[in-house]
Amino acid sequence: MNKIIFWDFDGVIADTFHQSFTIVKMVYPDMTELEYRARFEGNINKTLLRTPPVREINFFEEFEKTIFNAPLTEGIASVIQELSKRYSNIIISSTLSDLIDRYLIHNNLRQYFAEIMGNEVAHSKTEKLTLAFDKHTTSNKHSLLITDTLGDIREANEVQVPVIAVPWGFQTRETLEKGNPTIIVENTNELLNKVNEMLSV
């Protein structure tokens, strides 16, 4: 059975919070950083729509202008490379696949991912996980999700995918704990060890 690591992109692999929040402020000038982070307690495609936009802009057109300036999470590149030797890496993200693809190429990481499933594939990560199970002949028992948001944890829980949560992205450890992830790791070294421990069973 193929063993798969599902990766969230924003916040986990790339530190894109500043870029994202700057664009959101164009649309919702009164939104605070704390309020924006809280929107990721659910599916961001739905939670942002709760507030009427002040301006109409194309988020991803703006995002494309600065995404390549976003730094990789410290130590994440070596973890991705190492894990790709034993498992299939797949990104499931609310960012468009093409932008992620080009960002990974820019950072010499594209070759370590079997697939990118962006926002155009499906808005729900529950749906993307289910699609990936069928396509890659695997199941929730042979996979896990690495994410930095409560919304993702909740969607993974719907299909019983184990979750490793990381507090270096869009949400804090306290927020992530609300979703009862399998474990929360504090750094990339711990992440590497925990993935191997969970998938070697």
Side-chain angles (χ1 to χ4, degrees):
M1 183 72 72
N2 192 18
K3 294 186 177 182
I4 295 179
I5 304 166
F6 293 103
W7 295 79
D8 183 25
F9 174 72
D10 295 280
V12 175
I13 295 173
D15 182 8
T16 59
F17 181 83
H18 174 73
Q19 280 85 355
S20 298
F21 183 57
T22 299
I23 299 166
V24 166
K25 287 286 283 184
M26 297 178 190
V27 183
Y28 308 103
D30 295 331
M31 185 172 290
T32 67
E33 182 177 311
L34 191 63
E35 288 171 334
Y36 180 53
R37 290 185 188 276
R39 299 300 172 103
F40 289 90
E41 294 184 18
N43 186 308
I44 192 64
N45 286 294
K46 299 176 181 178
T47 57
L48 272 183
L49 295 178
R50 294 174 188 167
T51 304
V54 174
R55 290 179 59 197
E56 293 287 348
I57 66 168
N58 185 309
F59 178 90
F60 292 115
E61 284 183 3
E62 295 297 325
F63 195 50
E64 183 177 13
K65 298 174 184 177
T66 60
I67 185 175
F68 301 104
N69 297 327
L72 287 167
T73 296
E74 185 176 354
I76 203 69
S78 60
V79 172
I80 291 168
Q81 292 169 29
E82 188 64 30
L83 291 174
S84 71
K85 298 175 183 177
R86 300 182 63 184
Y87 317 109
S88 294
N89 289 320
I90 294 177
I91 289 177
I92 56 172
S93 175
S94 296
T95 293
L96 296 178
S97 299
D98 177 64
L99 290 179
I100 298 171
D101 183 79
R102 286 188 284 142
Y103 180 88
L104 294 175
I105 291 171
H106 179 73
N107 287 281
N108 197 31
L109 288 174
R110 181 62 183 90
Q111 64 269 34
Y112 302 111
F113 289 91
E115 187 173 4
I116 300 168
M117 303 177 74
N119 209 46
E120 77 287 353
V121 174
H123 285 180
S124 161
K125 291 191 177 177
T126 300
E127 185 177 349
K128 278 181 270 208
L129 288 166
T130 303
L131 289 170
F133 292 158
D134 292 338
K135 182 175 181 179
H136 295 275
T137 319
T138 191
S139 70
N140 54 1
K141 296 178 181 178
H142 299 278
S143 61
L144 59 81
L145 170 67
I146 303 170
T147 186
D148 64 328
T149 68
L150 177 55
D152 283 1
I153 297 171
R154 287 171 167 162
E155 292 192 332
N157 288 344
E158 291 181 23
V159 285
Q160 299 181 315
V161 172
V163 177
I164 299 179
V166 301
W168 59 70
F170 280 45
Q171 295 193 307
T172 64
R173 183 186 185 96
E174 181 180 19
T175 299
L176 297 171
E177 286 174 345
K178 296 177 184 178
N180 297 312
T182 308
I183 192 169
I184 300 175
V185 300
E186 293 298 328
N187 55 61
T188 52
N189 285 334
E190 190 180 354
L191 175 62
L192 176 62
N193 293 333
K194 185 52 63 175
V195 170
N196 281 322
E197 179 182 318
M198 290 171 64
L199 289 181
S200 64
V201 177

Short mmCIF file of all heavy atoms in Angstrom, two decimals, residues 7 9 11 15 31 42 59 65 75 82 94-95 116 132 138 162 165 188 191 198 200-201:
data_model
loop_
_atom_site.label_atom_id
_atom_site.label_comp_id
_atom_site.label_asym_id
_atom_site.label_seq_id
_atom_site.Cartn_x
_atom_site.Cartn_y
_atom_site.Cartn_z
N TRP A 7 0.72 17.39 2.62
CA TRP A 7 1.29 18.62 3.16
C TRP A 7 0.37 19.81 2.88
O TRP A 7 -0.03 20.02 1.73
CB TRP A 7 2.63 18.93 2.49
CG TRP A 7 3.74 17.96 2.73
CD1 TRP A 7 3.92 16.74 2.12
CD2 TRP A 7 4.84 18.12 3.63
NE1 TRP A 7 5.08 16.15 2.58
CE2 TRP A 7 5.66 16.97 3.51
CE3 TRP A 7 5.22 19.13 4.52
CZ2 TRP A 7 6.83 16.81 4.25
CZ3 TRP A 7 6.38 18.97 5.25
CH2 TRP A 7 7.17 17.82 5.12
N PHE A 9 0.47 23.77 2.40
CA PHE A 9 1.56 24.58 1.83
C PHE A 9 1.83 25.85 2.64
O PHE A 9 2.90 26.02 3.22
CB PHE A 9 1.24 24.93 0.38
CG PHE A 9 2.22 25.87 -0.26
CD1 PHE A 9 3.49 25.44 -0.60
CD2 PHE A 9 1.87 27.20 -0.51
CE1 PHE A 9 4.41 26.31 -1.18
CE2 PHE A 9 2.77 28.07 -1.09
CZ PHE A 9 4.05 27.63 -1.43
N GLY A 11 2.29 28.39 5.36
CA GLY A 11 2.54 28.31 6.78
C GLY A 11 3.35 27.10 7.19
O GLY A 11 4.13 27.17 8.14
N ASP A 15 6.52 30.42 4.37
CA ASP A 15 6.06 31.43 5.32
C ASP A 15 5.36 32.56 4.54
O ASP A 15 5.95 33.59 4.25
CB ASP A 15 7.25 31.97 6.11
CG ASP A 15 6.83 33.00 7.15
OD1 ASP A 15 5.61 33.19 7.36
OD2 ASP A 15 7.73 33.61 7.76
N MET A 31 -10.00 44.44 9.04
CA MET A 31 -9.68 43.14 9.63
C MET A 31 -8.32 43.18 10.32
O MET A 31 -7.33 43.63 9.74
CB MET A 31 -9.71 42.03 8.57
CG MET A 31 -9.51 40.63 9.16
SD MET A 31 -9.77 39.30 7.95
CE MET A 31 -11.55 39.43 7.72
N GLY A 42 -11.82 27.42 10.43
CA GLY A 42 -12.71 26.70 9.52
C GLY A 42 -12.08 26.69 8.15
O GLY A 42 -10.89 26.99 7.99
N PHE A 59 -7.45 37.65 -5.48
CA PHE A 59 -6.45 37.34 -4.45
C PHE A 59 -5.20 36.73 -5.07
O PHE A 59 -4.07 37.12 -4.76
CB PHE A 59 -7.03 36.39 -3.41
CG PHE A 59 -6.05 35.98 -2.34
CD1 PHE A 59 -5.92 36.73 -1.18
CD2 PHE A 59 -5.24 34.85 -2.50
CE1 PHE A 59 -5.00 36.36 -0.19
CE2 PHE A 59 -4.33 34.48 -1.54
CZ PHE A 59 -4.21 35.24 -0.38
N LYS A 65 2.38 38.16 -7.16
CA LYS A 65 3.38 39.22 -7.22
C LYS A 65 4.43 39.10 -6.12
O LYS A 65 5.54 39.60 -6.27
CB LYS A 65 2.68 40.59 -7.11
CG LYS A 65 1.73 40.90 -8.24
CD LYS A 65 0.99 42.20 -7.98
CE LYS A 65 -0.05 42.49 -9.07
NZ LYS A 65 -0.82 43.73 -8.78
N GLY A 75 14.58 24.67 7.74
CA GLY A 75 14.79 23.24 7.90
C GLY A 75 13.81 22.36 7.14
O GLY A 75 13.99 21.13 7.09
N GLU A 82 14.25 14.19 2.59
CA GLU A 82 14.47 12.93 3.30
C GLU A 82 13.23 12.04 3.27
O GLU A 82 13.32 10.84 3.00
CB GLU A 82 14.89 13.21 4.75
CG GLU A 82 15.33 12.00 5.54
CD GLU A 82 16.58 11.34 4.97
OE1 GLU A 82 17.42 12.05 4.38
OE2 GLU A 82 16.71 10.11 5.13
N SER A 94 -5.08 25.51 -0.25
CA SER A 94 -6.08 26.49 -0.71
C SER A 94 -5.47 27.51 -1.65
O SER A 94 -6.14 28.43 -2.10
CB SER A 94 -6.71 27.19 0.50
OG SER A 94 -7.44 26.26 1.27
N THR A 95 -4.19 27.36 -1.94
CA THR A 95 -3.52 28.17 -2.96
C THR A 95 -3.60 27.43 -4.29
O THR A 95 -3.72 26.20 -4.32
CB THR A 95 -2.06 28.43 -2.57
OG1 THR A 95 -2.03 29.27 -1.41
CG2 THR A 95 -1.27 29.12 -3.67
N ILE A 116 0.37 18.05 -6.74
CA ILE A 116 -0.10 19.26 -6.05
C ILE A 116 -1.59 19.37 -6.31
O ILE A 116 -2.04 19.40 -7.45
CB ILE A 116 0.61 20.52 -6.59
CG1 ILE A 116 2.12 20.41 -6.39
CG2 ILE A 116 0.07 21.76 -5.89
CD1 ILE A 116 2.91 21.47 -7.13
N ALA A 132 -7.52 11.80 -3.48
CA ALA A 132 -6.16 11.27 -3.49
C ALA A 132 -6.12 9.80 -3.09
O ALA A 132 -5.33 9.02 -3.64
CB ALA A 132 -5.27 12.08 -2.56
N THR A 138 -4.52 4.29 -1.85
CA THR A 138 -4.12 4.27 -0.45
C THR A 138 -5.34 4.57 0.41
O THR A 138 -6.46 4.64 -0.09
CB THR A 138 -2.98 5.27 -0.18
OG1 THR A 138 -2.44 5.03 1.13
CG2 THR A 138 -3.45 6.70 -0.28
N PRO A 162 -4.81 10.81 10.23
CA PRO A 162 -3.98 11.31 11.33
C PRO A 162 -3.34 12.65 10.97
O PRO A 162 -3.00 12.88 9.80
CB PRO A 162 -2.91 10.22 11.49
CG PRO A 162 -3.53 8.99 10.89
CD PRO A 162 -4.39 9.48 9.76
N ALA A 165 0.26 18.50 13.60
CA ALA A 165 0.07 19.95 13.55
C ALA A 165 1.38 20.66 13.91
O ALA A 165 2.14 20.19 14.76
CB ALA A 165 -1.03 20.36 14.51
N THR A 188 11.23 21.24 12.90
CA THR A 188 11.30 20.34 11.75
C THR A 188 12.03 19.03 12.07
O THR A 188 11.72 18.00 11.47
CB THR A 188 11.96 21.04 10.55
OG1 THR A 188 13.21 21.62 10.96
CG2 THR A 188 11.06 22.14 10.01
N LEU A 191 9.48 16.93 13.51
CA LEU A 191 8.55 16.56 12.45
C LEU A 191 9.05 15.34 11.69
O LEU A 191 8.31 14.38 11.45
CB LEU A 191 8.36 17.73 11.48
CG LEU A 191 7.51 17.47 10.24
CD1 LEU A 191 6.09 17.10 10.62
CD2 LEU A 191 7.52 18.70 9.32
N MET A 198 5.19 7.39 12.74
CA MET A 198 3.78 7.13 12.47
C MET A 198 3.56 6.28 11.22
O MET A 198 2.67 5.42 11.18
CB MET A 198 3.02 8.45 12.34
CG MET A 198 2.88 9.19 13.66
SD MET A 198 2.21 10.87 13.48
CE MET A 198 0.57 10.52 12.86
N SER A 200 5.81 4.17 9.76
CA SER A 200 6.57 2.91 9.73
C SER A 200 5.81 1.78 10.38
O SER A 200 6.24 0.62 10.32
CB SER A 200 7.92 3.09 10.42
OG SER A 200 7.75 3.39 11.80
N VAL A 201 4.69 2.08 10.99
CA VAL A 201 3.89 1.05 11.67
C VAL A 201 3.27 0.11 10.64
O VAL A 201 2.74 0.55 9.63
CB VAL A 201 2.78 1.70 12.51
CG1 VAL A 201 1.90 0.63 13.16
CG2 VAL A 201 3.38 2.60 13.58
#
